[in-house]
Amino acid sequence: MKDSFLIKDEFFHYYQELVSDVMLPYQYAVLDDNAADADIPKSHSFENFRIAAGESKGEFSGWVFQDSDTAKWLEAAAYCLMRKPDPDLESKADAIISLVGRAQEKDGYLNTYFTVMCPDRKWQNLQECHELYCAGHMIEAGVAYYEATGKTKLLQIGKRLADLIDSIFGKGEGKRDGIPGHPEIELALVRLFRVTGEQKYLALAKYFLDFRGTDPDFFKKEALKRGWTLWNMNPEDTDYLQNTYPVREEKNAVGHAVRAVYLYTGMAMAAVETKDASLADACERMWNSIVNRRMYLTGGIGSSADGEAFTLDYDLPNDTAYCETCASIGLIFFANAMLDLQHNAKYADVLELALYNTVLAGIQRDGTHFFYTNPLEMDPMHAQKIPRFRHIYPRRPKWHGCACCPPNAARLLASLDRYAWHTEQNEKGRQIFYSDLFIQGEYHYNGAFSFVTKTGYPYDGMVEYEVQAAPGPFTLAVRCPFWSKNTPVNVNGKRKIPKMVNGYLLLEDLKARDCVQVTLDVSPHKVYANPKVYADAGKTAFMAGPLVYCFEDADNKDLNFLCVDKQGTPLVFDSRDSVLGQIRVLKIPGLRLTQSDALYSFAPPGWERCELTAIPYYTWCNRETGKMKVWMPEQ
Amino acid sequence: MKDSFLIKDEFFHYYQELVSDVMLPYQYAVLDDNAADADIPKSHSFENFRIAAGESKGEFSGWVFQDSDTAKWLEAAAYCLMRKPDPDLESKADAIISLVGRAQEKDGYLNTYFTVMCPDRKWQNLQECHELYCAGHMIEAGVAYYEATGKTKLLQIGKRLADLIDSIFGKGEGKRDGIPGHPEIELALVRLFRVTGEQKYLALAKYFLDFRGTDPDFFKKEALKRGWTLWNMNPEDTDYLQNTYPVREEKNAVGHAVRAVYLYTGMAMAAVETKDASLADACERMWNSIVNRRMYLTGGIGSSADGEAFTLDYDLPNDTAYCETCASIGLIFFANAMLDLQHNAKYADVLELALYNTVLAGIQRDGTHFFYTNPLEMDPMHAQKIPRFRHIYPRRPKWHGCACCPPNAARLLASLDRYAWHTEQNEKGRQIFYSDLFIQGEYHYNGAFSFVTKTGYPYDGMVEYEVQAAPGPFTLAVRCPFWSKNTPVNVNGKRKIPKMVNGYLLLEDLKARDCVQVTLDVSPHKVYANPKVYADAGKTAFMAGPLVYCFEDADNKDLNFLCVDKQGTPLVFDSRDSVLGQIRVLKIPGLRLTQSDALYSFAPPGWERCELTAIPYYTWCNRETGKMKVWMPEQ
């Protein structure tokens, strides 16, 4: 890698240590069926590899994509090893990699479900069986582990698997058409191409992207041909499967939200490598469809539990929201790929929203409980008790039967350094460094440039960049977030008014020892949804910097009776809590409604003034169980 | 019958003529698979009887409870014949009754599904197969047809079927325990007892009520014993099946809403006949559970599409509301039975709400299109297109695969005379006449008392009672609806301030030729929900008299951008429309929000003043397709 970023941030230090010290050991124990807590369902993910390797007896157990949990754990382990040496973790990872190698078949095939359960059914059910999805995750893990340790074993496993896939699917002689029901292989193949330089992997990624949507009946024909089904999914729901139109012709982000953003990430990464303008246009269209019409304020996506899917424009119900943690992680992947395609602060704005809000909310502060769904409103009296809230949890469970989210969050947080900075040379050969996330640390590029960033972000808006080394003039492009109303910039103590291009403050002609101070406006403010978002009609939400706030019963007795006072403005208070950590809470003038027991009345509810307390959404549900709301009625 | 009420009401004349002239002929054609419109799915209900009678070849088709459509049609026909002679209708009904008789087996068994499909499986699957439900409907039809025509053929069919059921179920020797998955038989048996005087039918009704809930595993054991299932319903969902607690111990209205109110109606009817105080208490508890915590403003009940069921207190979402037409019809049955149990205006208040709002909204003004579900908010862009709105129709369909609602609405509207008046003797032998619904017509009691009522209700609040004949002093008890803030009463032109007891204005010591004028306050007003109903937070609705109003796109361009002005008050305007008939619309000061295209903004939406138009909810969706809302944000 040409650049590196060493995170020394107070805010994210907590999470990065949590991943390496708590989440990875905990998840290892769960995947190894050795979790101390008997309540945790058996994952069986490692055991499936042992059975496939012929080293253990027993039956395959878990989902057909259970292998991907192991792959994501290995990838997260790789990023942790990149951050700091950990011989115990490395030996554990090496042992699992060795096991994975022994479970790989001679021809490169690797999927314990099929190896153990039904080797005669391989590659027949791309719609439901996720062989290509699991392959993609193992390839990603191999790339990451190679980058972290220089060890090639898992990379070779991934290459052999990719070579097998390449020998089966595509347009060449003896090959056949195919696309994954769950995209992931595409982005993984681009990563494999990037690390190996082998064009065939990029070509295979491009094939999967290009074939998609050219035959909307593909999965139906596949189902008819094989005559069996794994879990009775509808092969004709082409929107769910993102196979209605060729990817360049689709107008909206549709179907299963995680699959969608994994697909779009693959598209954007391929477009970067191939300079394919029509593919880049398609990415931009999908981006706009999500961000302008189908995304929650928290960066959550996928409003329907049914199909874990996008629905229609402006349909963003708060209480039944699905907002899978993985979908926001995928949105971050997509945003990051878009930043490589075209440097525009709007991508990083959304990347940041999804990261600081939905992804962090997906993890309990203790690192051992995880949300799968992330609603913007929750009532523990209703969660899991009323049919339409069946998917809503009143608290984060310790694990999930379908455990895609916990290791996915681990690998994202462990690799956060890859999202903070981006760089490119402009047409004049000038290096531009884009500061996309405001995280304290040291950034190095090519052994020549280095900066130290200092900040107490997201609670403090001041971000300082000290140029430590620079062989010549360069440009620092600091993202000016959409929420920062007023963003003064000082260079070496002097106020400067920089050019703003594509949402970045351009600080040009910097040199070693220069010091840039950018003060983002992280003061709190109200947010209103477009009236087309009928779920938010008459309601307001609060943000401060990138943080979306929410109200909990823990701070506000019975949320159903509370409104925000239209005239009031929020005030900020520092708070330190052993559970929530150092945060800033908002105190907001509010009204408490009073009402008789009548179900309906002719008089409006009476009210008395009160003070509401809002906490950052990412910290919710870490104290006692109670109602939570992001959007609050205002009157 | 001791009393009769001849309806001569402008408002209901339309609906009663619609039933006899349009709905019954139309439904006959549909049930006979002879509907002119090829789009209408084949009912096969009559044909099933022909096949069961051995007079036609072919397969049974339709739901396992398809017979009930025929039974409800016959019952509706009976009420029409009571209202006015119709030789054509009577001969059609006689022919169908004769066919039903030929389809009845020698031992009295009557259910075409089992006779045709699987005679060896009778009475094995009370949970799913609705044999007792269909029996109840045929018994009700027999009772009604006897009352209408004096003909006993269908009554005898019902009696033979009831005798067979009595020989199988109960506590006596050679009998076995059982309860219907779908209550209905209980109320039907009480009706059969009332018309025949045979105690055994009341005893059997009481048995079914008393056994319910005493063995929560009943349906599970039944399923294990028989080893087959019809449609894979869960036999352990005892709340859905109203079998968790004995009926006297249940605290809340739970489960499938139609089943619940049919059960509670049977309970109340049995309590009337048996003077069973604990059963009456249970009815009152169920009433309060529904009306105080689980009912929509429109008298709709059952907020969840999943299970067509009640959920929890105050969970009343407007857009995903189920509110089956049949459930509100059942609520009317329940209210009417409660009025017989204890004369309190609160029952009639709800009876009237359900009738004028949800039931009438279930029927298109043309009499040939019907809603199954009755949401309080609908967006045609979402209805049936987004998973959680799958059950919401953008327009009334011509028929339904499960066609319970259309003939149910027909039998209710054709028998409306049975709901308007109630009477009893007080402890001093004084006859009290309760005027519960304000419908113009002639009421006769026992050949001795008669009144003429005149009114333009519900749009005009003046109701006049002329005493035509009265052999001695009596009391007229006029319901004072909960919404009438000011209700002046004149007797023979002089202002009177009558006693108010249990919600009734008591006019005592009336005699022949007296004229009473009661002026109900039908002026429009805003309604607010209890803040616990979080779906209505910050919103207001409008009522005028018993009518709930709603907003449609047809009158108000794009409802999503509209709010009610908190300061404004509604004004009433007469409107005559060839489709909606003579109605009163409300003109309400409102605000139209203006907003950029942004999904989220830091500034509240701008607004400009505008005028909103609301129409009675019962008339919605009779013009062009568009959005509809009952509850509107207010600011």
Side-chain angles (χ1 to χ4, degrees):
Chain A
M1 283 186 70
K2 287 172 90 181
D3 65 346
S4 68
F5 180 49
L6 184 61
I7 293 179
K8 297 179 170 183
D9 187 79
E10 191 186 346
F11 186 86
F12 279 114
H13 181 76
Y14 178 85
Y15 286 102
Q16 291 209 314
E17 294 288 301
L18 195 69
V19 172
S20 54
D21 299 352
V22 179
M23 283 168 68
L24 278 191
Y26 174 75
Q27 297 186 5
Y28 182 91
V30 175
L31 298 187
D32 201 26
D33 302 340
N34 266 326
D37 192 326
D39 282 0
I40 296 170
K42 293 276 176 255
S43 157
H44 219 258
S45 190
F46 292 165
E47 185 65 9
N48 289 334
F49 281 99
R50 292 187 197 108
I51 297 168
E55 298 165 13
S56 186
K57 301 227 175 281
E59 302 249 311
F60 176 95
S61 176
W63 293 87
V64 70
F65 49 83
Q66 206 79 350
D67 288 1
S68 61
D69 296 346
T70 292
K72 282 191 269 188
W73 184 88
L74 284 170
E75 190 182 345
Y79 300 131
C80 285
L81 293 175
M82 240 177 270
R83 196 167 74 86
K84 64 175 182 188
D86 182 338
D88 178 53
L89 177 63
E90 188 162 345
S91 77
K92 270 184 181 156
D94 284 343
I96 295 297
I97 288 167
S98 174
L99 171 61
V100 169
R102 297 194 300 278
Q104 186 168 35
E105 298 188 21
K106 285 211 179 91
D107 64 355
Y109 187 85
L110 178 58
N111 186 296
T112 68
Y113 176 85
F114 284 94
T115 298
V116 174
M117 298 284 280
C118 43
D120 54 324
R121 289 187 163 185
K122 290 172 190 169
W123 308 121
Q124 291 176 15
N125 189 344
L126 300 183
Q127 183 200 349
E128 297 179 312
C129 290
H130 297 355
E131 283 158 294
L132 293 171
Y133 167 83
C134 289
H137 276 301
M138 202 56 85
I139 291 166
E140 283 204 274
V143 169
Y145 206 74
Y146 166 71
E147 289 171 343
T149 63
K151 295 179 184 170
T152 58
K153 189 170 176 85
L154 191 55
L155 183 67
Q156 291 304 328
I157 290 169
K159 280 186 63 173
R160 290 179 58 213
L161 179 51
D163 292 343
L164 175 68
I165 294 167
D166 189 42
S167 74
I168 295 170
F169 296 103
K171 289 296 184 192
E173 207 188 309
K175 297 187 182 188
R176 62 184 168 94
D177 282 321
I179 41 166
H182 194 315
E184 153 69 21
I185 187 75
E186 303 86 344
L187 71 88
L189 287 168
V190 180
R191 289 188 73 178
L192 188 59
F193 157 72
R194 286 178 180 170
V195 80
T196 63
E198 293 184 40
Q199 285 289 340
K200 65 177 174 184
Y201 300 128
L202 179 61
L204 183 57
K206 204 170 158 323
Y207 163 75
F208 284 128
L209 297 171
D210 290 345
F211 181 63
R212 183 168 288 273
T214 59
D215 180 6
D217 289 336
F218 173 78
F219 292 115
K220 187 176 155 192
K221 289 180 197 160
E222 186 197 44
L224 286 171
K225 191 172 169 197
R226 73 173 174 267
W228 57 273
T229 175
L230 186 69
W231 46 10
N232 261 315
M233 298 195 82
N234 178 6
E236 299 187 49
D237 189 349
T238 57
D239 274 357
Y240 171 87
L241 290 158
Q242 288 106 15
N243 196 38
T244 309
Y245 304 105
V247 295
R248 291 171 184 77
E249 293 169 28
E250 178 61 78
K251 289 189 178 64
N252 293 300
V254 296
H256 188 281
V258 177
R259 302 181 190 206
V261 282
Y262 279 30
L263 172 64
Y264 309 152
T265 304
M267 286 160 60
M269 288 169 68
V272 168
E273 301 303 334
T274 60
K275 320 279 182 219
D276 179 333
S278 65
L279 196 55
D281 285 351
C283 292
E284 182 70 13
R285 207 159 51 241
M286 295 304 100
W287 179 267
N288 289 334
S289 172
I290 294 174
V291 166
N292 296 341
R293 300 185 297 278
R294 300 184 176 198
M295 185 182 74
Y296 288 90
L297 183 60
T298 51
I301 55 173
S303 55
S304 175
D306 195 310
E308 307 181 316
F310 289 106
T311 59
L312 297 172
D313 290 349
Y314 307 107
D315 178 53
L316 297 165
N318 294 303
D319 54 358
T320 60
Y322 202 71
C323 290
E324 186 178 336
T325 308
C326 282
S328 287
I329 293 171
L331 181 60
I332 289 171
F333 297 157
F334 183 27
N336 207 41
M338 290 304 284
L339 285 169
D340 283 338
L341 198 53
Q342 185 203 327
H343 286 282
N344 190 309
K346 68 182 184 179
Y347 305 120
D349 281 351
V350 168
L351 193 164
E352 186 182 51
L353 265 188
L355 171 63
Y356 281 87
N357 298 293
T358 301
V359 174
L360 293 188
I363 306 161
Q364 193 134 322
R365 292 283 291 176
D366 68 5
T368 63
H369 296 76
F370 307 92
F371 275 138
Y372 193 101
T373 55
N374 295 280
L376 281 75
E377 181 168 333
M378 193 282 293
D379 184 337
M381 294 291 291
H382 296 161
Q384 300 192 294
K385 291 179 189 141
I386 291 177
R388 71 187 190 288
F389 302 125
R390 211 173 267 146
H391 59 290
I392 302 292
Y393 291 89
R395 295 204 70 84
R396 292 172 189 83
K398 289 171 187 163
W399 201 247
H400 295 265
C402 171
C404 48
C405 301
N408 218 4
R411 71 180 179 132
L412 176 75
L413 292 174
S415 61
L416 209 54
D417 54 290
R418 301 180 166 214
Y419 299 85
W421 288 89
H422 297 84
T423 183
E424 67 175 355
Q425 274 191 353
N426 72 6
E427 57 279 13
K428 292 173 196 158
R430 167 74 61 92
Q431 199 71 29
I432 309 176
F433 297 100
Y434 296 92
S435 172
D436 283 308
L437 295 180
F438 308 110
I439 298 176
Q440 182 159 294
E442 286 177 32
Y443 178 70
H444 297 273
Y445 178 72
N446 233 0
F449 293 90
S450 71
F451 317 111
V452 167
T453 52
K454 292 183 185 164
T455 183
Y457 195 81
Y459 292 109
D460 185 338
M462 159 80 89
V463 189
E464 196 171 281
Y465 301 84
E466 287 176 18
V467 184
Q468 302 286 315
F474 67 94
T475 299
L476 176 65
V478 177
R479 177 171 63 96
C480 184
F482 70 100
W483 42 258
S484 183
K485 290 176 200 161
N486 179 30
T487 312
V489 177
N490 278 2
V491 177
N492 300 326
K494 284 192 193 144
R495 176 62 58 97
K496 196 144 182 185
I497 300 183
K499 247 197 306 192
M500 174 101 116
V501 176
N502 294 329
Y504 292 96
L505 299 161
L506 294 193
L507 295 146
E508 295 173 315
D509 302 317
L510 291 179
K511 53 189 190 311
R513 307 263 78 84
D514 279 348
C515 178
V516 177
Q517 288 181 323
V518 177
T519 307
L520 304 168
D521 180 0
V522 295
S523 61
H525 45 238
K526 291 181 179 175
V527 186
Y528 297 88
N530 189 305
K532 290 176 184 166
V533 185
Y534 56 93
D536 298 335
K539 297 178 186 169
T540 188
F542 291 84
M543 286 185 75
L547 301 177
V548 173
Y549 275 70
C550 71
F551 301 87
E552 283 199 302
D553 272 348
D555 302 302
N556 308 277
K557 201 182 129 229
D558 202 342
L559 294 189
N560 282 344
F561 285 82
L562 300 178
C563 298
V564 169
D565 183 344
K566 200 164 206 151
Q567 311 304 329
T569 50
L571 293 175
V572 172
F573 291 86
D574 283 316
S575 160
R576 178 148 203 105
D577 179 298
S578 61
V579 176
L580 306 187
Q582 179 76 44
I583 62 171
R584 283 189 168 174
V585 301
L586 304 185
K587 298 285 182 181
I588 300 159
L591 310 175
R592 175 175 295 280
L593 303 180
T594 54
Q595 181 83 338
S596 71
D597 281 344
L599 186 53
Y600 303 107
S601 305
F602 295 135
W607 51 268
E608 50 196 37
R609 294 200 180 282
C610 67
E611 186 182 65
L612 311 182
T613 300
I615 59 167
Y617 177 75
Y618 77 87
T619 65
W620 86 277
C621 196
N622 275 284
R623 298 171 298 172
E624 69 255 36
T625 305
K627 288 191 280 296
M628 181 278 293
K629 274 185 189 182
V630 168
W631 292 95
M632 187 64 97
E634 188 186 41
Q635 55 165 272
Chain B
M1 286 187 70
K2 288 172 90 181
D3 67 344
S4 68
F5 180 49
L6 184 61
I7 293 179
K8 294 179 169 183
D9 187 80
E10 192 187 344
F11 186 85
F12 279 114
H13 180 78
Y14 178 85
Y15 285 101
Q16 291 209 312
E17 294 287 302
L18 196 70
V19 172
S20 54
D21 298 353
V22 179
M23 283 168 69
L24 279 191
Y26 174 75
Q27 296 186 5
Y28 183 92
V30 175
L31 298 187
D32 202 26
D33 301 340
N34 265 327
D37 193 325
D39 283 358
I40 296 170
K42 293 278 176 254
S43 156
H44 219 257
S45 189
F46 293 165
E47 186 65 10
N48 289 335
F49 282 98
R50 290 187 198 108
I51 297 167
E55 296 165 13
S56 187
K57 301 225 176 283
E59 302 248 313
F60 176 94
S61 175
W63 293 87
V64 69
F65 50 81
Q66 207 77 351
D67 288 2
S68 62
D69 296 345
T70 292
K72 283 191 268 189
W73 185 88
L74 284 169
E75 189 183 345
Y79 300 130
C80 286
L81 294 174
M82 242 178 264
R83 196 168 74 86
K84 63 175 182 188
D86 182 338
D88 178 53
L89 177 63
E90 188 162 345
S91 77
K92 272 184 179 154
D94 284 342
I96 295 299
I97 288 167
S98 174
L99 169 62
V100 169
R102 297 195 300 277
Q104 186 168 36
E105 299 187 21
K106 285 212 179 87
D107 64 355
Y109 187 84
L110 178 59
N111 186 297
T112 68
Y113 176 84
F114 285 93
T115 298
V116 173
M117 299 283 281
C118 43
D120 54 325
R121 291 187 161 185
K122 291 172 188 168
W123 309 120
Q124 291 177 14
N125 189 343
L126 300 184
Q127 183 200 349
E128 297 180 313
C129 289
H130 297 356
E131 282 159 295
L132 292 171
Y133 167 82
C134 289
H137 276 302
M138 203 56 84
I139 290 166
E140 283 204 275
V143 169
Y145 206 73
Y146 166 70
E147 289 171 343
T149 63
K151 294 178 185 172
T152 59
K153 188 171 177 82
L154 191 55
L155 183 66
Q156 290 304 327
I157 289 169
K159 281 187 62 173
R160 288 180 58 213
L161 179 51
D163 292 343
L164 175 68
I165 294 167
D166 189 41
S167 75
I168 295 171
F169 296 103
K171 289 296 182 190
E173 205 188 311
K175 297 187 182 188
R176 61 183 169 96
D177 281 321
I179 40 164
H182 195 315
E184 153 68 21
I185 187 75
E186 303 85 346
L187 71 89
L189 286 168
V190 180
R191 289 188 73 178
L192 188 59
F193 157 71
R194 285 176 180 171
V195 78
T196 63
E198 293 185 40
Q199 285 289 341
K200 65 176 174 183
Y201 299 129
L202 178 60
L204 183 58
K206 204 169 158 322
Y207 163 75
F208 283 128
L209 296 172
D210 290 346
F211 181 63
R212 182 169 288 272
T214 58
D215 180 5
D217 288 337
F218 174 77
F219 292 116
K220 187 176 155 191
K221 291 180 196 159
E222 185 198 44
L224 286 172
K225 191 170 168 196
R226 71 172 177 268
W228 57 272
T229 176
L230 187 70
W231 46 11
N232 261 315
M233 297 194 82
N234 177 6
E236 300 187 48
D237 189 350
T238 57
D239 273 356
Y240 172 87
L241 290 159
Q242 288 105 17
N243 197 38
T244 307
Y245 304 106
V247 296
R248 290 170 185 78
E249 293 170 26
E250 177 62 78
K251 289 190 178 63
N252 293 300
V254 297
H256 188 281
V258 177
R259 301 180 191 207
V261 283
Y262 279 31
L263 172 64
Y264 309 151
T265 304
M267 285 161 61
M269 289 170 69
V272 168
E273 301 302 334
T274 60
K275 319 277 181 222
D276 180 332
S278 64
L279 196 55
D281 285 350
C283 291
E284 182 69 13
R285 206 159 51 241
M286 294 304 101
W287 180 266
N288 289 334
S289 172
I290 295 173
V291 166
N292 297 341
R293 298 185 298 277
R294 300 186 177 196
M295 185 182 75
Y296 289 89
L297 183 61
T298 52
I301 56 173
S303 55
S304 175
D306 195 310
E308 308 180 315
F310 289 106
T311 59
L312 296 172
D313 289 349
Y314 307 107
D315 179 52
L316 297 165
N318 294 303
D319 53 357
T320 60
Y322 203 71
C323 291
E324 185 178 338
T325 308
C326 283
S328 287
I329 293 170
L331 181 59
I332 290 171
F333 297 158
F334 182 27
N336 207 41
M338 291 303 284
L339 285 169
D340 283 338
L341 198 54
Q342 185 202 328
H343 286 281
N344 190 309
K346 68 182 184 180
Y347 305 119
D349 280 351
V350 168
L351 191 165
E352 186 181 52
L353 266 188
L355 171 64
Y356 280 87
N357 298 294
T358 302
V359 174
L360 292 187
I363 306 161
Q364 192 132 323
R365 293 283 292 176
D366 68 6
T368 63
H369 297 75
F370 307 92
F371 274 138
Y372 192 102
T373 55
N374 295 280
L376 281 75
E377 181 167 335
M378 194 282 293
D379 184 337
M381 294 291 292
H382 297 161
Q384 301 192 295
K385 289 177 192 144
I386 291 178
R388 70 187 191 287
F389 302 124
R390 212 172 266 147
H391 60 291
I392 302 292
Y393 291 88
R395 297 204 69 84
R396 293 173 189 83
K398 289 171 187 164
W399 200 248
H400 295 264
C402 170
C404 50
C405 300
N408 218 4
R411 70 180 180 133
L412 176 75
L413 292 174
S415 61
L416 208 55
D417 54 291
R418 299 179 167 214
Y419 299 85
W421 287 88
H422 297 84
T423 183
E424 67 175 356
Q425 274 191 354
N426 71 6
E427 55 278 16
K428 294 174 193 159
R430 168 73 61 89
Q431 198 71 31
I432 308 176
F433 297 101
Y434 296 92
S435 173
D436 283 308
L437 295 180
F438 308 109
I439 298 176
Q440 181 158 294
E442 285 176 33
Y443 178 70
H444 297 273
Y445 177 72
N446 231 2
F449 292 91
S450 72
F451 318 111
V452 167
T453 52
K454 291 182 185 165
T455 184
Y457 194 82
Y459 292 109
D460 185 339
M462 159 79 88
V463 189
E464 195 172 281
Y465 301 83
E466 287 176 18
V467 184
Q468 302 285 312
F474 67 95
T475 299
L476 176 65
V478 178
R479 177 170 64 95
C480 183
F482 70 99
W483 41 258
S484 184
K485 290 177 204 162
N486 179 28
T487 312
V489 177
N490 278 3
V491 177
N492 300 324
K494 283 191 192 140
R495 175 62 60 97
K496 201 150 175 179
I497 299 182
K499 247 197 305 192
M500 175 101 115
V501 176
N502 294 330
Y504 292 95
L505 300 161
L506 294 194
L507 296 146
E508 296 174 313
D509 301 318
L510 292 179
K511 53 189 190 310
R513 305 267 76 85
D514 279 350
C515 178
V516 177
Q517 286 180 326
V518 177
T519 307
L520 303 168
D521 180 0
V522 295
S523 62
H525 46 238
K526 290 181 179 174
V527 186
Y528 297 87
N530 189 306
K532 291 177 185 167
V533 185
Y534 56 93
D536 298 335
K539 297 178 185 170
T540 188
F542 292 84
M543 287 186 74
L547 300 177
V548 173
Y549 276 70
C550 71
F551 300 87
E552 284 199 302
D553 272 348
D555 302 302
N556 307 278
K557 201 182 131 229
D558 202 343
L559 294 189
N560 282 345
F561 286 82
L562 299 178
C563 300
V564 169
D565 183 344
K566 200 163 206 154
Q567 311 305 329
T569 50
L571 293 176
V572 171
F573 291 87
D574 284 315
S575 160
R576 177 147 206 105
D577 178 298
S578 62
V579 176
L580 306 187
Q582 178 76 44
I583 62 169
R584 282 187 169 175
V585 300
L586 304 185
K587 297 287 183 181
I588 300 160
L591 310 174
R592 175 174 295 280
L593 303 181
T594 54
Q595 181 83 338
S596 71
D597 281 344
L599 186 51
Y600 303 106
S601 304
F602 296 135
W607 51 267
E608 50 197 35
R609 295 199 179 282
C610 68
E611 186 181 66
L612 312 182
T613 300
I615 59 166
Y617 177 74
Y618 78 87
T619 65
W620 86 277
C621 197
N622 274 284
R623 297 171 300 172
E624 71 255 35
T625 304
K627 288 192 280 298
M628 181 279 292
K629 274 185 189 182
V630 169
W631 292 95
M632 187 66 96
E634 189 185 39
Q635 55 164 274

